[in-house]
Amino acid sequence: MKKEDTVKLISAEGFEFVIDKNAAMVSQTIRNMLTSPGSFSETQHGVVRFPEISTPILEKICQYFYWSLQFASGKETEFYIEPELTLELMMAANYLHT
Amino acid sequence: MSAPKKRNFHIEAFKHKVVVDPKYAEKTWKVLEHAINEIYNHNASGLSFEELYRNAYNMVLHKFGDKLYSGLVATLTMHLKEISKSIEAAQGGLFLEELDRKWTDHNKALRMIRDILMYMDRTYIPNTHKTPVHELGLNLWRDHIIHSSEIQTRLLTMLLELVQRERTGEVINRGLMRNVIKMLMDLGLSVYQEEFEKPFIEVSSNFYSLESQQFIECCDCGDYLKKAERRLNEEMERVSHYLIDRTESKITNVVENEMISNHMQRLIHMENSGLVSMLVDDKYEDLGRMYSLFHRVPDGLSSIRDVMTSHLRETGKQLVMDPERLKDPVDFVQRLLDKKDKYDNIISLALNNDKTFQNALNSSFEHFINLNSRSPEFISLFVDDKLRKGLKGVSEEDVEVILDKVMMLFRYLQEKDVFEKYYKQHLAKRLLSGKSISEDVERSMIVKLKTECGYQFTSKLEGMFTDMKTSQDTVQEFYANQAADTAESPVLAIQVLTTGSWPTQPSTPCNLPTEILEVCEKFRTYYLGKHTGRRLTWQTNMGTADLKATFGKGQKHELNVSTYQMCILMLFNNADRLTYREIEQATEIPASDLKRCLQSLACVKGKNVLRKEPMSKDIGEEDAFFFNDKFTSKFYKVKIGTVAAQKETEPENQETRQKVEEDRKPQIEAAIVRIMKSRRVLDHNNLVAEVTKQLQSRFMPNPVLIKKRIESLIEREFLERDKADRKLYRYLA
């Protein structure tokens, strides 16, 4: 996988997730970060830190990104969310504009 | 997240801890303000998008949206004021470039700011009904840059000056121009209109008003139109290069108005180069240009059309009324056809085949062709000429083409019945003298007339062909039956003509030579024996004969002559010298015909089989004629024409007219009766109109004539006037 096609997401605890750019761009916020005309540090390095998102939530988010890509192509499946993650996940979704 | 309507529920807070720090908002804002400054300074690479976004997000979330928004406005305003200063400071030509560069910068910065403040755009702005970030940035730019008193006028004059320079042929930076115009457009349509379009249109209108004035003073019509067309194209090109599409119609309107509409009449009537001379000289290109340009303005085409029509009518009238032209009917019609061809070409090549022009052309032709009452005769003569000899070596298709063209002229005729009369006469001559080149062509002409005017029109013409055919059969039969009796006598080719179908002139038959009289009598008995109840009279004025003659030195010639001429020549078998009076007595040929025959026998060089005393061109009643022993000719067969004028002489013409008028009477009456029979009651004006309508395809009935016919019908008790209203007519069954 070429570096240009991937992006590194870092959780509050410092855990790194490397995922496809087009998966990450399911989030409108991340899309803006990566495509904004000015050269912000995220745009330049392909690394985004989320000091306010914990590792399990970010992991779930990444899973959702990939699921969403599949779902967008028309495959009907259910995306399972553990009840205890629900609240935090929703707040993160609002933040990431997903 | 997976719920389809996930945006509908409102999430209170992402952070659990409640911010207590009263300086929190202030501090966060400082971070953002700093970032905005950095962005404007092209120094964004050190900034973390996530951090800025998070800060803005939190500010909005913690109800500091107002502070964030007003801070943003203040910061943007501050930057724009700086920018405006730097633009104002730019000198001369650099001004636009600086403006363009700053605009690009501002746009980029604005997009970045919008991105990091995305959360505010999403939640705070819709709730408080404020202007979204990007739009806000554009509005501020408009207010502080474009509407800055320094920049506003300078921008406009620069733009207009550039356009002006391009119009005078200089090359300008179109890319820059396009960018600036696009900027105005991005700021909103109204900005573009106010700041550029309106003044641009005004200036252009002045420019073209002046320029067109100059051009028209010094150029001829063709050049002027070329210039106008070029200007028009330039403006359209300008629009496509750096203006907005919707300006095109406005600016072309200006050019059309100033360069075309205002000078339209002057252009059309320009001496030596205006419309008329273009028409005369077949200037297709100029005409096409005029058409396409004038097409764009109201009344443009109708002006061209009016002038063309009046020119056509004028020249057409000259043509048909020119006494010179009347001498040669074939040339006359040929000229008409040429004229028609010329204008057909103009319309198809230069005027886009415009239907309205075709109609104008047709109505003009109709107008002037009917100015000359002899047109029907001439057209028939033209056809006669073509079908007689003119088509030698011409293929049948070409004949068809010529005939089709003639039919076009025929369509213009109002007095089609006059044409029919003449055509009948000419056709009869052709058929009887066997001079028609091809029966197929003759028939095709009849078919054309039939499709044009209906069966009634041609039934008699067709009858003539039938007569020809049956006559041939009858003569063959006659000779088959009487072979023994007729072997020694001259061979007759007899055409039995039905009285109604042929244009016969009542003529007293001349005295035929005895040899011929004998065969004639035999035929008469034979024919009447076959068809009882018929009458047979001899039309000696129409036939032809072939004579074998031996001249002084023993050379033999075959003479092709008319029946009259044959009678005269036969007299010289028994005498060498005859006076005019003797000939007249012996043959009983009517005086006028006799003179003509003698003239052609004695006075035409190379064909003078008779000798006349005294030698002169005209035949006098005291003249004496001799058989010309010394006659020589290169040819074995000598055709002796009659000096008959092809064209009718004035009295003949009058006579035909009269006949036509006579023929019209029953037609008008029939039409009146037909109409009244179905309507029962009708007032005078309507009746006249109806009659005119019914007869239009054949001729234009004169209202006075119709009135006379009505009166005659009233006398004969077909109609009566209403007792109460004298203008009403009633049909009496």
Side-chain angles (χ1 to χ4, degrees):
Chain A
M1 213 182 275
K2 275 187 269 172
K3 190 155 187 298
E4 299 85 70
D5 296 335
T6 62
V7 60
K8 193 187 279 177
L9 307 181
I10 304 176
S11 73
E13 291 87 354
F15 213 94
E16 298 182 355
F17 297 87
V18 179
I19 63 169
D20 284 309
K21 246 185 194 173
N22 56 348
M25 288 216 215
V26 169
S27 155
Q28 194 60 43
T29 308
I30 296 179
R31 175 186 289 272
N32 283 342
M33 280 178 199
L34 299 177
T35 58
S36 190
S39 38
F40 288 108
S41 60
E42 284 89 344
T43 326
Q44 285 177 0
H45 304 119
V47 179
V48 186
R49 288 176 188 282
F50 293 105
E52 296 187 5
I53 302 179
S54 64
T55 310
I57 299 295
L58 192 55
E59 183 182 6
K60 199 72 190 167
I61 289 172
C62 290
Q63 283 169 11
Y64 172 73
F65 285 162
Y66 280 100
W67 179 86
S68 173
L69 280 185
Q70 276 187 321
F71 180 75
S73 61
K75 206 172 174 186
E76 287 267 2
T77 50
E78 204 154 291
F79 183 71
Y80 179 73
I81 299 172
E82 293 82 350
E84 64 271 22
L85 291 181
T86 316
L87 181 63
E88 269 193 87
L89 207 51
M90 274 180 164
M91 290 191 291
N94 185 40
Y95 178 73
L96 291 174
H97 196 180
T98 323
Chain B
M1 266 196 310
S2 59
K5 289 186 173 179
K6 53 198 167 190
R7 309 239 191 286
N8 274 358
F9 45 85
H10 187 237
I11 291 167
E12 274 307 316
F14 176 49
K15 299 282 281 181
H16 290 287
K17 60 172 185 194
V18 178
V19 184
V20 280
D21 186 357
K23 293 272 179 66
Y24 167 76
E26 199 57 40
K27 274 202 278 187
T28 325
W29 168 242
K30 281 286 172 236
V31 174
L32 287 169
E33 191 185 18
H34 172 73
I36 294 175
N37 292 338
E38 291 294 296
I39 288 173
Y40 269 102
N41 291 337
H42 307 285
N43 214 0
S45 57
L47 300 171
S48 157
F49 186 103
E50 198 274 342
E51 186 194 345
L52 298 172
Y53 178 77
R54 181 155 39 84
N55 281 327
Y57 176 83
N58 285 332
M59 268 186 94
V60 174
L61 215 55
H62 296 303
K63 310 269 184 258
F64 293 114
D66 283 337
K67 184 170 174 53
L68 179 59
Y69 194 82
S70 58
L72 173 69
V73 173
T75 317
L76 284 179
T77 311
M78 193 266 290
H79 279 286
L80 287 173
K81 278 189 176 150
E82 269 172 34
I83 290 175
S84 124
K85 278 205 195 85
S86 98
I87 295 175
E88 278 164 27
Q91 290 302 309
L94 294 177
F95 171 79
L96 281 184
E97 280 170 35
E98 179 70 9
L99 179 68
D100 180 40
R101 194 161 55 241
K102 289 294 178 195
W103 165 248
T104 322
D105 287 352
H106 176 67
N107 245 329
K108 192 172 156 195
L110 207 53
R111 279 219 298 282
M112 289 164 77
I113 294 169
R114 183 193 54 191
D115 283 346
I116 58 174
L117 299 184
M118 176 66 80
Y119 193 71
M120 179 172 78
D121 254 352
R122 250 168 73 206
T123 54
Y124 172 77
I125 284 169
N127 286 340
T128 51
H129 306 293
K130 293 208 157 128
T131 323
V133 175
H134 191 251
E135 210 182 319
L136 174 77
L138 294 182
N139 289 348
L140 289 173
W141 173 271
R142 182 189 64 205
D143 296 342
H144 291 287
I145 308 289
I146 301 303
H147 288 171
S148 130
S149 54
E150 274 269 335
I151 294 176
Q152 194 170 23
T153 44
R154 227 174 126 190
L155 172 63
L156 181 59
T157 35
M158 293 278 303
L159 289 177
L160 293 179
E161 194 193 313
L162 280 177
V163 172
Q164 175 67 23
R165 271 162 58 189
E166 197 183 38
R167 278 191 185 134
T168 52
E170 283 183 50
V171 177
I172 62 164
N173 184 348
R174 286 182 159 180
L176 180 61
M177 194 75 183
R178 183 176 51 234
N179 289 346
V180 175
I181 296 291
K182 189 169 176 303
M183 171 189 79
L184 294 176
M185 208 39 210
D186 285 345
L187 294 175
L189 189 58
S190 62
V191 176
Y192 170 74
Q193 282 174 332
E194 287 302 320
E195 299 305 325
F196 179 73
E197 194 180 51
K198 267 189 196 166
F200 168 67
I201 295 294
E202 244 167 67
V203 167
S204 306
S205 140
N206 288 337
F207 172 77
Y208 282 118
S209 149
L210 265 172
E211 191 183 66
S212 63
Q213 202 60 48
Q214 281 171 10
F215 282 171
I216 201 141
E217 296 301 340
C218 64
C219 299
D220 68 10
C221 183
D223 286 345
Y224 182 92
L225 290 175
K226 259 181 220 157
K227 287 187 167 143
E229 190 184 42
R230 203 179 59 227
R231 281 303 191 195
L232 201 59
N233 288 336
E234 272 174 19
E235 290 302 332
M236 287 197 262
E237 198 198 19
R238 191 184 330 285
V239 170
S240 74
H241 275 295
Y242 55 78
L243 298 185
I244 308 303
D245 284 348
R246 56 190 301 282
T247 309
E248 182 175 313
S249 64
K250 293 185 187 170
I251 186 65
T252 50
N253 244 332
V254 167
V255 182
E256 284 157 10
N257 255 325
E258 296 297 339
M259 297 203 82
I260 304 169
S261 285
N262 290 349
H263 301 291
M264 196 157 68
Q265 292 305 324
R266 187 158 169 201
L267 282 171
I268 290 179
H269 295 293
M270 207 177 256
E271 240 165 271
N272 301 326
S273 69
L275 178 58
V276 169
S277 65
M278 285 182 190
L279 289 174
V280 172
D281 299 339
D282 288 330
K283 293 203 165 146
Y284 298 133
E285 228 174 86
D286 286 344
L287 282 168
R289 193 171 291 121
M290 183 179 259
Y291 176 84
S292 64
L293 287 176
F294 281 36
H295 188 60
R296 311 179 68 99
V297 301
D299 298 334
L301 289 190
S302 62
S303 306
I304 299 185
R305 202 159 48 236
D306 290 348
V307 172
M308 188 184 97
T309 310
S310 65
H311 168 71
L312 247 176
R313 287 190 179 203
E314 196 45 49
T315 51
K317 191 176 165 188
Q318 279 169 15
L319 177 60
V320 296
M321 300 311 260
D322 185 354
E324 277 299 306
R325 295 278 95 77
L326 297 187
K327 284 181 188 158
D328 186 353
V330 177
D331 180 57
F332 173 87
V333 176
Q334 192 55 52
R335 274 168 195 272
L336 283 180
L337 286 178
D338 290 348
K339 202 174 185 60
K340 179 79 169 63
D341 276 352
K342 175 187 165 80
Y343 281 91
D344 276 343
N345 276 338
I346 287 178
I347 287 177
S348 69
L349 291 176
L351 303 180
N352 195 21
N353 259 332
D354 193 313
K355 274 274 178 307
T356 57
F357 279 88
Q358 282 171 359
N359 291 342
L361 175 66
N362 288 342
S363 76
S364 305
F365 262 85
E366 199 174 322
H367 171 78
F368 67 70
I369 281 189
N370 289 304
L371 282 179
N372 187 338
S373 61
R374 302 192 70 170
S375 296
E377 182 191 350
F378 288 179
I379 292 173
S380 173
L381 276 173
F382 180 78
V383 177
D384 187 58
D385 180 66
K386 290 296 167 204
L387 293 182
R388 255 172 205 270
K389 55 180 191 227
L391 298 174
K392 262 178 217 153
V394 185
S395 72
E396 295 229 339
E397 286 95 59
D398 292 343
V399 180
E400 286 290 305
V401 171
I402 293 178
L403 292 185
D404 277 335
K405 283 184 182 165
V406 172
M407 285 312 291
M408 227 145 48
L409 292 183
F410 169 75
R411 248 167 252 148
Y412 296 136
L413 288 178
Q414 274 167 0
E415 297 180 305
K416 295 196 172 60
D417 56 342
V418 179
F419 175 85
E420 187 199 354
K421 261 253 150 22
Y422 284 110
Y423 191 78
K424 213 156 102 178
Q425 278 177 20
H426 298 144
L427 176 64
K429 275 189 203 155
R430 278 203 299 281
L431 288 179
L432 292 181
S433 57
K435 278 174 190 147
S436 172
I437 45 152
S438 145
E439 200 184 317
D440 285 349
V441 180
E442 289 281 4
R443 282 197 184 274
S444 113
M445 182 69 193
I446 302 272
V447 170
K448 286 189 210 307
L449 287 171
K450 197 173 181 176
T451 41
E452 199 62 37
C453 297
Y455 167 75
Q456 205 196 355
F457 194 85
T458 54
S459 61
K460 286 183 178 168
L461 301 179
E462 279 171 359
M464 290 161 76
F465 280 103
T466 325
D467 279 351
M468 291 301 287
K469 186 89 187 78
T470 40
S471 301
Q472 215 180 354
D473 295 345
T474 315
V475 171
Q476 256 175 19
E477 255 174 69
F478 168 68
Y479 276 106
N481 281 340
Q482 317 260 325
D485 293 345
T486 51
E488 289 298 307
S489 38
V491 181
L492 279 192
I494 295 160
Q495 269 105 30
V496 185
L497 313 179
T498 315
T499 313
S501 305
W502 295 74
T504 47
Q505 290 127 358
S507 68
T508 42
C510 68
N511 290 339
L512 291 167
T514 42
E515 300 94 320
I516 295 180
L517 209 55
E518 210 175 296
V519 199
C520 286
E521 279 312 313
K522 276 184 187 152
F523 180 78
R524 183 197 291 275
T525 8
Y526 168 78
Y527 186 79
L528 294 181
K530 276 190 81 175
H531 309 274
T532 46
R534 292 197 183 175
R535 270 184 57 211
L536 215 52
T537 51
W538 298 105
Q539 293 282 330
T540 46
N541 54 341
M542 289 163 115
T544 57
D546 291 337
L547 293 179
K548 281 183 184 150
T550 316
F551 289 92
K553 286 175 189 161
Q555 76 270 44
K556 288 184 175 173
H557 286 288
E558 195 174 304
L559 305 177
N560 179 268
V561 294
S562 73
T563 308
Y564 282 154
Q565 285 166 337
M566 181 266 293
C567 295
I568 298 169
L569 289 176
M570 292 293 269
L571 294 177
F572 286 91
N573 276 344
N574 305 322
D576 276 343
R577 177 185 186 280
L578 289 167
T579 61
Y580 176 84
R581 295 216 179 280
E582 282 167 336
I583 297 174
E584 193 180 22
Q585 260 178 11
T587 58
E588 288 181 11
I589 298 171
S592 67
D593 287 325
L594 180 56
K595 278 185 187 168
R596 254 195 251 160
C597 290
L598 286 171
Q599 206 173 7
S600 52
L601 286 171
C603 303
V604 181
K605 216 168 174 246
K607 304 200 168 161
N608 49 338
V609 289
L610 293 186
R611 201 152 48 76
K612 185 172 85 75
E613 266 177 17
M615 294 283 279
S616 67
K617 277 281 163 202
D618 296 309
I619 306 295
E621 305 217 336
E622 306 304 328
D623 293 353
F625 296 89
F626 301 89
F627 181 65
N628 184 7
D629 268 340
K630 299 188 184 80
F631 174 80
T632 51
S633 172
K634 283 182 282 187
F635 307 103
Y636 174 64
K637 278 192 177 180
V638 180
K639 187 173 178 305
I640 296 176
T642 325
V643 191
Q646 268 214 354
K647 203 177 58 160
E648 281 194 324
T649 54
E650 204 47 44
E652 276 174 326
N653 188 16
Q654 291 293 337
E655 200 181 311
T656 319
R657 282 265 133 207
Q658 227 163 21
K659 261 194 240 163
V660 170
E661 293 292 334
E662 269 323 301
D663 283 357
R664 281 179 187 179
K665 281 181 190 170
Q667 288 189 44
I668 296 174
E669 284 182 1
I672 295 172
V673 171
R674 259 199 311 275
I675 292 159
M676 289 308 290
K677 205 167 181 177
S678 62
R679 296 296 189 87
R680 316 304 295 184
V681 180
L682 201 64
D683 69 282
H684 179 78
N685 288 345
N686 273 326
L687 181 56
V688 172
E690 288 267 342
V691 171
T692 314
K693 211 171 103 193
Q694 276 207 1
L695 296 174
Q696 225 164 25
S697 66
R698 292 178 61 79
F699 60 92
M700 268 299 187
N702 184 343
V704 182
L705 214 59
I706 300 177
K707 189 150 185 277
K708 271 189 193 156
R709 289 300 99 205
I710 294 174
E711 273 157 12
S712 152
L713 285 169
I714 291 174
E715 257 169 46
R716 282 178 282 160
E717 297 188 328
F718 281 93
L719 308 176
E720 67 170 4
R721 284 183 196 277
D722 192 88
K723 300 268 182 317
D725 184 353
R726 300 292 289 169
K727 287 207 157 170
L728 274 186
Y729 299 114
R730 267 170 207 295
Y731 181 70
L732 298 174

